[in-house]
Amino acid sequence: MHLTQSTDLALRALMLLAARDERRSASDLAELLNVAPQHMAKIVQRLRRLGFVGTSRGRGGGVVLADGMTDRPVGEIVRALEGPGEAVDCDHPPCPLSGGCHLRVALRTAQEAFVASLNQTRLSDLVAGPVLLSLALPASAAPSPPEECP
């Protein structure tokens, strides 16, 4: 199964927000994820429309994880981000094999199994551990590397 880049970045942004329960700017998320700020702004707006995050403008504004998001199953989040589409499109252009082909059903079954497997994991499970927490720190708070001896 292949996720779109937008879904991948949206999941990573949600993980960063979940790792540190605090407001972040879209530009901060863009910098941490090494993506253009304009692209991250579009992703944040999509997450807001889906109800996954809240946003506010102005001083002290930014992006915050919506209540209950850390308990949401990852498969549910992926399904919302990816939409209801199927792995293959047999109709555009029309497939000459569609009358007796079982590929669409097999791929739909695999897609459902993929989402069901992801539903066994919650967003909070993805952010457990110190490595992600250290990446989620603002640059000014990140631990500095040890100095080398002369």
Side-chain angles (χ1 to χ4, degrees):
M1 194 80 219
H2 178 78
L3 299 179
T4 62
Q5 181 185 27
S6 178
T7 296
D8 178 24
L9 290 170
L11 285 169
R12 292 169 194 254
L14 290 172
M15 290 170 62
L16 286 169
L17 291 169
R20 296 194 43 98
D21 189 20
E22 63 187 20
R23 192 171 299 274
R24 289 193 174 267
S25 69
S27 61
D28 183 30
L29 292 170
E31 184 179 335
L32 286 166
L33 295 173
N34 197 26
V35 63
Q38 300 86 348
H39 189 57
M40 182 53 63
K42 290 178 185 178
I43 290 169
V44 166
Q45 289 309 311
R46 185 166 179 221
L47 291 172
R48 185 190 56 76
R49 279 192 311 274
L50 291 168
F52 294 163
V53 301
T55 60
S56 58
R57 294 178 182 247
R59 186 169 174 85
V63 185
V64 64
L65 205 59
D67 290 339
M69 274 305 296
T70 57
D71 294 328
R72 298 277 296 265
V74 175
E76 185 180 299
I77 297 168
V78 167
R79 185 180 300 279
L81 291 165
E82 287 288 313
E86 294 189 50
V88 294
D89 183 1
C90 301
D91 302 323
H92 297 95
C95 178
L97 303 174
S98 64
C101 180
H102 301 285
L103 178 62
R104 186 180 217 170
V105 172
L107 289 173
R108 185 178 304 132
T109 301
Q111 191 173 9
E112 291 302 318
F114 176 73
V115 171
S117 177
L118 288 175
N119 274 336
Q120 296 176 22
T121 303
R122 306 237 176 249
L123 182 60
S124 60
D125 298 330
L126 298 179
V127 298
V131 173
L132 185 63
L133 185 60
S134 69
L135 289 174
L137 289 172
S140 60
S144 56
E147 293 187 27
E148 294 183 30
C149 296

